[in-house]
Amino acid sequence: MPQVFSSRFVLFLKLAIVGMVLFLLGAVVLWRIVTSPLASVGAAIEQPVPFSHKHHVSDDGIDCRYCHTSVEKSSFAGIPSTEICMTCHSQLFTDAEVLAPVRASFRTKKPLRWKRVNDLPDFVYFNHSIHIHKGIGCVSCHGPVDEMPLTWRAKPLTMQWCLNCHRAPERFVRPREHVFDMNWKPKEEQLVLGKRLVEKYNIQSKTDCSTCHR
Amino acid sequence: MSSRYPSNVGSTLGKKPPPGAVVTDKVSGLVLAPHRRWWWLGAFGFSALLSLLFFSAIGYLLVTGVGIWGINIPVAWGFAITNYVWWIGIGMAGTFISAALLLTRQKWRASINRSAETMTVFAVSISGLFPILHLGRPWFFYWLAPYPDIMNVWPQWRSVLVWDFFAILAYLVVSLLFWYTGMVPDFAVIRDRARKRSQQIFYGLLALGWRGEARHWRRLETATLLLAGMAVPLVFSVHSMVGLDFAEGIVPGWHSTIFPPFFVAGALFSGFAMVLMLVVPLRSVFGLHAFITSQHLNNMAKLLLATSLIVTYSYIMEVFIAWYSADPYEIAMTQNRISGAYAPVYWATIFCNVLVPQILWFKRIRFNPIVLFVVGIAVFIGMWLERLMLIVTSLYHDFLPSAWGMFYPTVWDWIFLFGPIGFFTMLFLLFIRFAPVTSMFEIRKLRSEVKNHE
């Protein structure tokens, strides 16, 4: 009776097993990459009007709060209404083609359909005002917005990323008066300053579920 | 001495067959030259239909949600958890028979350990489905596993339900390994006897190139002993964990320190009953009387009786401690069990688990396969009722009268009870068609030992 398996077949079998293991590992790695929230970090998102933060902040020197009016008072920073755009653009670039949707929105009283760049799931209750008041700068979470021609998400916004700061806020906190300063750099060691500010602002490391998942 | 067992005992060469060749002929013949058995096809078809029903029901459950079951807010654990505890309990006895009896050198285990291990693997696989299916959002069940994720969230290690996850997983892996390593030499026998190329390849792959060298046998024995040594503590810890699912709670009727050993005893009890239910038909249908003798059935019946007495003791203790505690809730719960809305469940449990096994005191009964089969069925049903009784009667009337409510199973509950039975039967029928039903090499070893002794 001949051998059931030739040595060639056994070799093929071993290679097939190794190949299967590699394939599975590869599939897992690929799945992690595809589903990673980091994929959307840094990718600019098309908007109905190509609004440029770079132009409005860097070139014009407009303060963040001019448009995002409720950021100090409300949980929601707010996307500016068409009326806020029209405070300037009823006079400037009145016939510019890119601004046609803004004028149309103003005429028809239908808001512009901006696409959210930093969209958290609805089971997360994020509050802007508390972060502003405890000395977290815009840059820390939204990145260098003043350099963005089209806005992109600068940070992953994962729970891990949130907790990273909540567990050690002294690494990120800054004086309140510099929260809206896009180019602020600490003059001393960040940890020394941070520890002092944490004490001064009575910052508590809130990591309970009820802080965000109410 | 181990080299005495060649994987291929040539019984067809006209010489006087060596001891054990009969078992090899018989058992490998069941796999290689099966007779056309209409009953096998019929039973397979029926159980396959039930399995199909079960898996369609799972599909409907995933689409619609756990509200298709009769569970409600006082009784949030119904048939799903009852079935989970029942099936994992059935699995326990398989490992006990193959591992604990191996460690205690009980040689009679050799001819029934394969059926028992198979029963374990299939029953544990089925039981493992229920903790996942009874989740409201089963697709998140992997959150029970401790893996580094982008939420920085880990499982709660103080919850018994997390321990359950690890217990079932570890138990499934160890029992699978134990089952498979024990079958490798037998697969080699079937490979060597196969004449069809497809069978040679199929069993050749399963046999992993087993040649029956002395070194291989020595390693196999060491591996079996090590796995048995791991499996025995697992049997006790896994089902203790299942007991803690309830004992960790504060509900009267659940919060009880007797639960871990009581649950282990109950598990072995239902498992031995299931082994009897499998082995009795197996031996008469395939004519395995020479290997699975009446003495085996007698020994199994004795184990069944012994575990029944431990379970009986626990029932008595529960009632006694409820009275002795003077705790109004414990007393009310016990009264409810005995004379409340679910009293028939309680008394049926007592009848099946306490009264029926008492006939096993008689030697004539222990040698009667038909009566043993019937006792097995009674215990099989009784242990299901016991888990239902423990879960439902503790939940439906607890501390606050405003939170009292009845549990009525829906048709889906019944499908999730009977569907898995069909699925188990289907798997077991496939097993007896494609794998050696008893451990050929262990019986050969026993026979040659007897021969040398004479």
Side-chain angles (χ1 to χ4, degrees):
Chain A
M1 196 177 78
Q3 289 287 322
V4 179
F5 301 113
S6 62
S7 60
R8 183 188 287 269
F9 181 82
V10 172
L11 177 69
F12 168 76
L13 205 66
K14 284 174 183 166
L15 288 176
I17 290 169
V18 171
M20 209 134 78
V21 171
L22 288 180
F23 174 78
L24 285 178
L25 282 178
V28 169
V29 170
L30 195 74
W31 176 69
R32 292 296 291 185
I33 290 171
V34 168
T35 57
S36 167
L38 294 170
S40 57
V41 173
I45 293 183
E46 289 290 330
Q47 299 287 357
V49 179
F51 177 84
S52 168
H53 276 100
K54 182 175 159 63
H55 171 70
H56 289 84
V57 181
S58 290
D59 305 351
D60 302 343
I62 300 175
D63 187 89
C64 306
R65 288 161 290 184
Y66 185 84
C67 301
H68 301 289
T69 51
S70 56
V71 69
E72 289 173 302
K73 289 166 238 133
S74 158
S75 64
F76 193 67
I79 290 191
S81 61
T82 307
E83 281 76 8
I84 291 180
C85 304
M86 292 303 278
T87 50
C88 299
H89 287 295
S90 59
Q91 308 295 324
L92 296 172
F93 304 115
T94 45
D95 46 5
E97 192 52 39
V98 284
L99 293 178
V102 180
R103 292 190 296 273
S105 155
F106 188 69
R107 252 194 335 273
T108 58
K109 306 242 177 290
K110 281 197 181 134
L112 282 161
R113 294 199 159 265
W114 299 104
K115 285 184 198 139
R116 288 199 70 173
V117 176
N118 295 297
D119 197 5
L120 287 176
D122 290 349
F123 53 76
V124 183
Y125 294 88
F126 178 79
N127 190 325
H128 268 94
S129 62
I130 188 68
H131 290 87
I132 301 292
H133 280 285
K134 298 288 182 181
I136 297 297
C138 304
V139 181
S140 300
C141 305
H142 293 291
V145 178
D146 57 326
E147 292 163 19
M148 294 183 187
L150 272 178
T151 314
W152 60 77
R153 188 195 284 189
K155 302 284 174 172
L157 307 189
T158 57
M159 186 164 148
Q160 185 175 42
W161 173 79
C162 295
L163 286 170
N164 213 10
C165 182
H166 274 237
R167 282 176 180 145
E170 64 272 10
R171 288 184 293 148
F172 303 96
V173 69
R174 58 171 73 187
R176 270 178 197 144
E177 55 272 25
H178 297 301
V179 162
F180 299 101
D181 185 349
M182 303 306 287
N183 300 308
W184 178 82
K185 291 277 178 299
K187 289 199 185 63
E188 52 185 318
E189 193 75 26
Q190 169 66 45
L191 278 183
V192 178
L193 171 73
K195 283 200 175 119
R196 205 169 62 235
L197 290 177
V198 164
E199 185 86 2
K200 189 177 165 195
Y201 296 159
N202 186 24
I203 296 176
Q204 296 157 21
S205 169
K206 294 267 188 193
T207 52
D208 282 336
C209 309
S210 59
T211 308
C212 308
H213 303 289
R214 298 177 204 176
Chain B
M1 60 162 274
S2 306
S3 58
R4 203 191 292 139
Y5 327 117
S7 66
N8 187 4
V9 181
S11 61
T12 49
L13 301 178
K15 287 186 291 187
K16 185 174 176 286
V22 189
V23 61
T24 314
D25 282 342
K26 178 82 195 171
V27 176
S28 58
L30 289 178
V31 174
L32 293 173
H35 303 291
R36 289 188 191 284
R37 291 194 176 85
W38 59 267
W39 66 263
W40 188 91
L41 282 175
F44 182 78
F46 182 69
S47 57
L49 271 180
L50 265 178
S51 317
L52 195 69
L53 185 67
F54 177 44
F55 285 100
S56 324
I58 289 178
Y60 183 68
L61 175 81
L62 293 181
V63 171
T64 315
V66 288
I68 62 171
W69 291 334
I71 47 176
N72 49 40
I73 276 313
V75 187
W77 280 2
F79 276 24
I81 298 301
T82 306
N83 294 347
Y84 153 63
V85 179
W86 189 48
W87 278 108
I88 201 158
I90 285 168
M92 293 292 147
T95 311
F96 187 85
I97 287 170
S98 50
L101 298 186
L102 176 78
L103 293 182
T104 52
R105 312 253 178 242
Q106 296 295 311
K107 289 185 173 149
W108 60 274
R109 65 177 270 290
S111 51
I112 52 171
N113 71 338
R114 180 64 48 73
S115 319
E117 283 165 31
T118 312
M119 177 188 86
T120 296
V121 171
F122 295 160
V124 172
S125 313
I126 289 173
S127 94
L129 290 175
F130 284 105
I132 295 173
L133 292 177
H134 97 121
L135 297 174
R137 289 177 230 182
W139 46 90
F140 288 132
F141 85 94
Y142 65 90
W143 286 11
L144 279 166
Y147 66 98
D149 65 0
I150 56 168
M151 301 180 292
N152 278 18
V153 170
W154 299 86
Q156 167 59 277
W157 295 101
R158 283 178 293 186
S159 166
V160 192
L161 306 181
V162 171
W163 308 348
D164 258 350
F165 175 74
F166 290 96
I168 301 171
L169 207 64
Y171 191 59
L172 187 61
V173 170
V174 169
S175 52
L176 259 176
L177 282 176
F178 198 45
W179 185 54
Y180 183 62
T181 41
M183 278 200 290
V184 167
D186 284 353
F187 281 137
V189 171
I190 300 179
R191 169 200 62 196
D192 294 345
R193 286 171 166 242
R195 288 292 164 267
K196 273 192 233 153
R197 181 81 186 137
S198 58
Q199 285 180 331
Q200 284 176 340
I201 290 177
F202 181 69
Y203 292 104
L205 288 176
L206 285 174
L208 302 176
W210 179 267
R211 296 190 306 279
E213 274 183 42
R215 280 184 310 170
H216 292 176
W217 284 110
R218 207 184 68 195
R219 288 208 178 133
L220 181 80
E221 285 204 352
T222 314
T224 312
L225 272 177
L226 283 175
L227 281 170
M230 279 194 272
V232 171
L234 263 178
V235 170
F236 288 90
S237 63
V238 169
H239 217 78
S240 297
M241 217 88 84
V242 177
L244 288 176
D245 283 344
F246 307 99
E248 197 193 42
I250 55 163
V251 179
W254 281 8
H255 195 67
S256 158
T257 50
I258 204 176
F259 267 29
F262 164 48
F263 267 58
V264 172
L268 296 178
F269 185 43
S270 61
F272 292 142
M274 183 76 153
V275 174
L276 275 178
M277 285 171 63
L278 293 173
V279 162
V280 167
L282 206 62
R283 98 197 245 273
S284 59
V285 165
F286 294 111
L288 299 173
H289 296 83
F291 321 126
I292 305 171
T293 62
S294 303
Q295 192 55 45
H296 288 99
L297 299 185
N298 179 30
N299 287 351
M300 287 300 303
K302 281 181 185 166
L303 280 176
L304 194 67
L305 180 62
T307 40
S308 161
L309 292 177
I310 304 174
V311 170
T312 306
Y313 170 78
S314 309
Y315 292 157
I316 296 169
M317 271 305 121
E318 287 223 293
V319 177
F320 170 72
I321 292 293
W323 167 76
Y324 192 65
S325 71
D327 177 47
Y329 297 104
E330 287 283 336
I331 294 169
M333 180 276 301
T334 308
Q335 285 172 342
N336 244 321
R337 273 186 189 164
I338 294 171
S339 60
Y342 295 104
V345 178
Y346 182 80
W347 291 110
T349 306
I350 297 292
F351 174 76
C352 293
N353 293 351
V354 176
L355 297 181
V356 172
Q358 299 309 316
I359 60 167
L360 299 176
W361 288 102
F362 301 102
K363 195 170 181 183
R364 271 178 59 195
I365 299 283
R366 290 201 304 269
F367 280 94
N368 185 333
I370 295 168
V371 179
L372 286 183
F373 186 74
V374 174
V375 173
I377 292 180
V379 172
F380 187 67
I381 297 170
M383 283 310 292
W384 185 80
L385 290 171
E386 183 215 279
R387 273 67 176 257
L388 186 76
M389 182 263 288
L390 285 177
I391 292 173
V392 174
T393 59
S394 309
L395 289 174
Y396 91 113
H397 269 204
D398 62 357
F399 297 112
L400 280 179
S402 58
W404 288 357
M406 292 291 289
F407 165 76
Y408 300 106
T410 63
V411 64
W412 294 101
D413 280 307
W414 294 110
I415 291 175
F416 275 86
L417 170 62
F418 290 109
I421 298 177
F423 186 48
F424 178 89
T425 315
M426 187 185 85
L427 291 175
F428 202 81
L429 286 169
L430 283 176
F431 164 77
I432 55 180
R433 171 66 189 77
F434 291 106
V437 285
T438 60
S439 180
M440 290 183 264
F441 76 88
E442 284 187 61
I443 298 180
R444 281 205 304 268
K445 179 175 161 189
L446 267 188
R447 297 236 162 166
S448 63
E449 276 171 12
V450 171
K451 208 88 182 169
N452 291 353
H453 198 70
E454 275 162 4

